[in-house]
Amino acid sequence: VQRRNKPEVLAPAGNLRGLKTAVDYGADAVYCGGKAFGMRSAPKNLSLEDFEEGSRYAHERGARVYVTCNVLPRNNEVEAMREYIGQLKDTGVDALIVSDIGVMLMAREVAPNLELHVSTQAGVTNYQAANAFYQLGARRVVLAREMDLQAVRDIRARIPDDLDIECFVHGAMCMAFSGRCLFSNYLTGRDGNHGECAQPCRWKYSIVEEKRPGQYFPIEQTKEGAYLFNSQDMNMLAHIDDLLDSGATSLKIEGRSKSAYYIAAMTNAYKTAVDAYMVQRGFEDEDGTVLKPFHDRVIRPSDPDYGKPETTDLIMEHADGAFAGKPDIATVPVASAGEPDDLSYHARSTRRKSNTAAEILPEGWYHAGVRPAEHVSLPDWLLDEPDKVAHRDYSTGFYYPEHKVQQSTDRSAYFRAWLVVGEVLSWSEEDGGRVTIMSRNKIEAGQEVEFVLPGAAPLAYTVPAGGFRDADGHWVESINNPAHVFSMPCPQEVPVNAAIRSRTKKPTLKAE
């Protein structure tokens, strides 16, 4: 099978609108769940009719659609799963994401026209497992989130080139091994392996002494208590060159429960970063014309340079600086807990250095290296995008051994420094340019807003005075009625469905 000539940006969608938004903002593929057998039950998910419409919409724009069938089915669900896969095969979707080996073999039999992608739930941590799934018909393995960059490249060096490696790059991290967890089922009866996780790892915990019931003692974090298992979110935007050079072919954004705005902003950010990577690595020119097929920089065992220590490994040499955020983070003061007056600081991992002993390798074994290359440079506006959606503290997950994900033990809430204030319904040339919007939050004269544009930096705009109209064309003082139609001056054309955002007057610790 011919490998694609460009890395894939894979975006989430919890409903049909999310799917279309992801495609509009540059997703090469979208993953979503149906009404049954997916690992997320909170989103509304898609009906069979939605999959048909969504697949048509995606294919017309060069994108693909993957369906999650990655629950671990019980005995009484096996035949229902067979029937469901039989229904999916005729909807136009491109691939099934599976974790159970029985479901995988069933899918090969029932829907041989669909690609099979092995979910992170399968816990692929080595090349032998990846090769075994390949022999069983898998076109892709989604690596366990516990893998570091060295593990990614060691797997890539020893698997077929036409077996895709999909890696998570952004969003929530699960405290359990590859998301396989009994915690929720044990505490609440809601099965995390059937898409019903109650996320008890995000709950606040205190101690109760046996003879003093009702008295809750905090666990030495803040006076409000402690969040013992509350992992940081992942943010690999600034480091996708390291991941792509190390053999990843698909970059996965987590968040099927997230808003259309989140999907738009993060899909656009990672797609723009991949475009920059392709140009700076010489795979494409500025117009997107392919100059040479995309290929990683991993040195394979068949390569004459394999195992030679003189091959410079710039990624590991520069690992101290490889974490989400900007290099001057060490100079930023720590804000007091619970009062995130500097969200730019809280949104990024602190610099930390481990004293781990050098790894001892078995005789004859060499880690796969990468051919050196310059770090891909991204503009500041792009690196700032992850801070403009609701998020927890950021980290780079487990990719860099010396900068591993940690818990945010003093809070579980999301940072929010930006707010969606409206969505574009239409734009016209009337009166020098007017935009009609569906309002979400207040907009007033003099307010600084940004239009989130696909494939480009956001359009910053200061709202002028005296130009607001309601749906009936009457002049109004400001836009202050959510879920109503208004219009306002906007000289530059903006696309339909573009989100309009504005800084919050006071940064909060709340979700969107």
Side-chain angles (χ1 to χ4, degrees), residues 252-440:
K252 185 173 196 168
I253 302 167
E254 190 277 337
R256 278 189 285 142
S257 300
K258 298 290 190 179
S259 67
Y261 163 65
Y262 179 98
I263 293 170
M266 292 302 93
T267 300
N268 190 54
Y270 278 89
K271 181 64 172 179
T272 303
V274 167
D275 288 345
Y277 171 90
M278 294 296 285
V279 171
Q280 293 180 43
R281 284 285 184 269
F283 298 117
E284 292 181 353
D285 62 19
E286 293 284 354
D287 297 324
T289 303
V290 175
L291 303 177
K292 61 182 179 180
F294 161 68
H295 202 278
D296 57 75
R297 306 184 69 82
V298 176
I299 301 173
R300 290 153 170 75
S302 58
D303 193 293
D305 289 334
Y306 180 75
K308 290 185 177 179
E310 61 268 20
T311 302
T312 304
D313 189 338
L314 291 180
I315 292 177
M316 292 304 158
E317 258 191 18
H318 300 157
D320 285 351
F323 54 91
K326 297 179 181 175
D328 60 352
I329 184 168
T331 66
V332 181
V334 179
S336 58
E339 297 179 4
D341 50 67
D342 188 340
L343 295 194
S344 294
Y345 170 79
H346 281 289
R348 303 182 175 108
S349 295
T350 52
R351 198 183 287 259
R352 49 189 177 273
K353 176 84 172 171
S354 73
N355 295 313
T356 308
E359 185 176 1
I360 300 174
L361 301 177
E363 187 68 27
W365 168 267
Y366 295 101
H367 279 311
V370 289
R371 299 194 186 283
E374 291 297 316
H375 179 59
V376 170
S377 175
L378 301 177
D380 285 344
W381 74 262
L382 184 56
L383 295 173
D384 288 340
E385 282 295 290
D387 293 334
K388 295 182 178 181
V389 298
H391 61 280
R392 298 183 180 93
D393 288 329
Y394 280 136
S395 76
T396 49
F398 290 90
Y399 287 118
Y400 300 98
E402 296 186 347
H403 302 284
K404 290 181 181 178
V405 62
Q406 293 189 345
Q407 302 101 295
S408 296
T409 52
D410 60 341
R411 61 192 174 275
S412 70
Y414 289 81
F415 299 116
R416 186 179 64 179
W418 289 74
L419 190 69
V420 177
V421 294
E423 296 159 6
V424 174
L425 297 178
S426 64
W427 181 89
S428 73
E429 297 179 350
E430 176 190 356
D431 298 333
R434 291 191 69 83
V435 61
T436 301
I437 72 170
M438 177 64 70
S439 66
R440 298 299 179 200

Side-chain angles (χ1 to χ4, degrees), residues 113-388:
N113 58 313
L114 298 183
E115 281 188 12
L116 293 177
H117 298 176
V118 178
S119 168
T120 189
Q121 301 290 120
V124 175
T125 60
N126 61 77
Y127 62 88
Q128 179 171 268
N131 282 322
F133 281 119
Y134 180 75
Q135 292 168 10
L136 289 172
R139 175 68 176 79
R140 171 179 301 192
V141 288
V142 186
L143 297 190
R145 296 188 220 189
E146 297 80 34
M147 298 294 92
D148 60 23
L149 281 176
Q150 185 62 67
V152 176
R153 57 173 81 155
D154 285 339
I155 291 172
R156 169 50 73 202
R158 295 168 176 83
I159 65 174
D161 275 356
D162 64 340
L163 177 60
D164 280 350
I165 289 180
E166 181 180 307
C167 293
F168 283 86
V169 292
H170 201 92
M173 297 280 291
C174 184
M175 289 298 294
F177 169 68
S178 295
R180 299 179 71 161
C181 182
L182 292 176
F183 200 12
S184 176
N185 206 351
Y186 175 72
L187 290 179
T188 70
R190 290 170 55 179
D191 191 347
N193 295 319
H194 270 63
E196 299 175 348
C197 184
Q199 293 198 327
C201 56
R202 308 292 189 195
W203 296 353
K204 180 171 67 178
Y205 291 90
S206 297
I207 295 174
V208 177
E209 198 274 325
E210 180 182 10
K211 295 182 179 179
R212 287 182 278 185
Q215 295 186 41
Y216 297 92
F217 300 93
I219 310 173
E220 291 300 316
Q221 201 64 47
T222 70
K223 63 181 180 180
E224 287 80 21
Y227 300 84
L228 298 183
F229 311 103
N230 183 39
S231 63
Q232 296 166 334
D233 282 359
M234 182 188 292
N235 174 12
M236 281 290 288
L237 183 63
H239 313 289
I240 64 162
D241 52 349
D242 289 353
L243 197 49
L244 295 174
D245 288 349
S246 295
T249 46
S250 178
L251 306 178
K252 185 173 196 168
I253 302 167
E254 190 277 337
R256 278 189 285 142
S257 300
K258 298 290 190 179
S259 67
Y261 163 65
Y262 179 98
I263 293 170
M266 292 302 93
T267 300
N268 190 54
Y270 278 89
K271 181 64 172 179
T272 303
V274 167
D275 288 345
Y277 171 90
M278 294 296 285
V279 171
Q280 293 180 43
R281 284 285 184 269
F283 298 117
E284 292 181 353
D285 62 19
E286 293 284 354
D287 297 324
T289 303
V290 175
L291 303 177
K292 61 182 179 180
F294 161 68
H295 202 278
D296 57 75
R297 306 184 69 82
V298 176
I299 301 173
R300 290 153 170 75
S302 58
D303 193 293
D305 289 334
Y306 180 75
K308 290 185 177 179
E310 61 268 20
T311 302
T312 304
D313 189 338
L314 291 180
I315 292 177
M316 292 304 158
E317 258 191 18
H318 300 157
D320 285 351
F323 54 91
K326 297 179 181 175
D328 60 352
I329 184 168
T331 66
V332 181
V334 179
S336 58
E339 297 179 4
D341 50 67
D342 188 340
L343 295 194
S344 294
Y345 170 79
H346 281 289
R348 303 182 175 108
S349 295
T350 52
R351 198 183 287 259
R352 49 189 177 273
K353 176 84 172 171
S354 73
N355 295 313
T356 308
E359 185 176 1
I360 300 174
L361 301 177
E363 187 68 27
W365 168 267
Y366 295 101
H367 279 311
V370 289
R371 299 194 186 283
E374 291 297 316
H375 179 59
V376 170
S377 175
L378 301 177
D380 285 344
W381 74 262
L382 184 56
L383 295 173
D384 288 340
E385 282 295 290
D387 293 334
K388 295 182 178 181

